[in-house]
């Protein structure tokens, strides 16, 4: 399908840019459904990543996400703001640095067979999903040299100044080479409930937002904030080495 110039311009003016790779005839219901799913999912993600009340459960989000992905594969339509091709990320660009390796999203599956196929006969470790804030640690000469948040997967916020106050980040390792490792800064629901009770400032909607808010505390007042991070008990759990 090749759009005429006037049609393409109209789409761009509406802010609904799309890439069309399919040659099949599409119904307006399919287009509207795709647009509806994108808007609903993006609204839920915005609320989730910015500390607002949750719009839906993780299960409901995954169900709608899977429906959107199937419709995109069926129709060939992918809007530029589709959550299947974007990541939830911090909006503040201050202190951003590029990742040495892209911090991409992990694939999802609900089928045991798919997991077995992915493992390819290798031994794998399973754990409960940690709903926190992805961090990317860099070690040089056995010492942590940089800590970045995931951000948009290409660049993240540099929070290296918090390396001494985030629980379970080793201050020294035996390996002396260059090492990049991804992990998750997470707060348990038990700790989340307790911390929300004792916090004097605004309450948080979920543990992920509390972890994110804790790690975005102001560098200029580090002494006070460092104690706050320690009190909030934000451990970092690595996913690889």
């Amino acid at each position: 399908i090749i759009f005429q110039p006037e049609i393409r311009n109209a789409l761009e003016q509406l802010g609904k840019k799309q890439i069309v790779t399919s040659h099949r005839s599409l119904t307006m219901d399919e287009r509207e459904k795709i647009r509806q799913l994108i808007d609903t999912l993006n609204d839920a993600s915005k609320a989730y990543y910015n500390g607002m009340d949750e719009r839906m459960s993780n299960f409901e989000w995954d169900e709608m996400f899977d429906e959107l992905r199937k419709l995109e594969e069926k129709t060939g339509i992918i809007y530029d703001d589709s959550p299947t091709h974007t990541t939830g990320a911090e909006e503040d660009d201050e202190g951003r640095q590029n990742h040495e390796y892209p911090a991409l999203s992990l694939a999802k599956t609900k089928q045991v067979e798919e997991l077995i196929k992915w493992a390819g006969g290798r031994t794998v470790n399973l754990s409960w999903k940690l709903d926190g804030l992805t961090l990317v640690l860099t070690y040089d000469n056995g010492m942590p040299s940089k800590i970045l948040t995931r951000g948009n997967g290409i660049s993240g916020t540099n929070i290296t100044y918090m390396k001494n106050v985030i629980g379970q980040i080793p201050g020294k390792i035996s390996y002396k080479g260059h090492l990049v490792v991804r992990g998750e800064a997470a707060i348990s629901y038990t700790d989340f409930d307790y911390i929300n009770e004792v916090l004097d400032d605004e309450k948080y909607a979920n543990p992920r937002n509390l972890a994110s808010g804790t790690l975005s505390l102001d560098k200029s007042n580090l002494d006070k904030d460092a104690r706050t991070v320690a009190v909030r008990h934000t451990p970092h759990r690595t996913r690889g080495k």
Side-chain angles (χ1 to χ4, degrees):
I1 299 174
I2 301 177
F3 287 131
Q4 296 296 323
E6 59 270 19
I7 298 178
R8 184 178 295 278
N9 290 337
L11 283 171
E12 292 178 353
Q13 291 173 4
L14 288 171
K16 309 298 185 184
K17 299 179 184 177
Q18 61 184 14
I19 303 170
V20 179
T21 58
S22 175
H23 294 278
R24 66 182 296 277
S25 177
L26 305 176
T27 68
M28 185 56 66
D29 286 344
E30 288 175 324
R31 295 179 185 275
E32 291 177 351
K33 184 61 175 179
I34 290 173
R35 189 67 253 170
Q36 178 187 18
L37 287 169
I38 290 174
D39 291 341
T40 301
L41 289 168
N42 284 344
D43 178 68
S45 293
K46 181 179 179 181
Y48 177 76
Y49 284 105
N50 291 281
M52 296 180 280
D53 291 337
E54 294 185 19
R55 302 288 193 265
M56 63 182 71
S57 67
N58 288 338
F59 179 81
E60 291 171 325
W61 199 96
D62 286 343
E63 289 287 302
M64 294 185 67
F65 182 90
D66 290 342
E67 182 181 1
L68 172 62
R69 184 171 55 186
K70 290 177 181 178
L71 273 173
E72 289 178 340
E73 292 174 352
K74 175 184 176 183
T75 63
I77 294 180
I78 301 174
Y79 287 93
D80 61 349
D81 60 341
S82 172
T84 64
H85 289 72
T86 60
T87 62
E90 312 99 89
E91 296 181 358
D92 187 5
D93 289 334
E94 184 178 355
R96 283 294 185 89
Q97 291 186 12
N98 287 339
H99 290 295
E100 185 172 348
Y101 307 101
L104 304 178
S105 299
L106 299 176
K108 298 180 181 179
T109 183
K110 297 178 181 177
Q111 303 297 324
V112 175
E113 294 77 10
E114 290 182 1
L115 182 59
I116 294 174
K117 181 179 179 181
W118 172 81
R122 297 182 298 268
T123 300
V124 297
N125 294 320
L126 301 180
S127 71
W128 293 107
K129 177 183 177 182
L130 297 177
D131 192 16
L133 180 71
T134 297
L135 298 182
V136 181
L137 280 63
T138 301
Y139 281 83
D140 289 292
N141 298 318
M143 305 291 290
S145 57
K146 183 167 60 177
I147 303 175
L148 297 181
T149 62
R150 179 190 176 197
N152 60 11
I154 303 300
S155 64
T157 302
N158 191 322
I159 60 168
T160 309
Y161 60 91
M162 286 192 170
K163 64 183 179 181
N164 295 323
V165 294
I166 303 175
Q168 298 185 7
I169 289 185
K172 186 177 181 180
I173 61 175
S174 58
Y175 181 66
K176 301 302 181 183
H178 181 72
L179 177 67
V180 179
V181 58
R182 285 177 60 184
E184 197 84 356
I187 294 176
S188 71
Y189 277 94
T190 300
D191 289 339
F192 168 73
D193 291 336
Y194 170 75
I195 294 167
N196 247 0
E197 289 180 3
V198 301
L199 281 178
D200 294 328
D201 51 0
E202 184 178 355
K203 307 299 182 182
Y204 288 83
N206 54 61
R208 192 271 172 197
N209 288 127
L210 178 55
S212 177
T214 300
L215 298 180
S216 63
L217 293 171
D218 192 358
K219 177 181 178 181
S220 64
N221 195 14
L222 182 58
D223 288 341
K224 176 182 176 181
D225 289 345
R227 288 193 296 271
T228 303
V229 175
V231 169
R232 293 186 183 188
H233 186 61
T234 307
H236 178 268
R237 305 177 193 276
T238 57
R239 289 198 295 265
K241 60 181 180 179

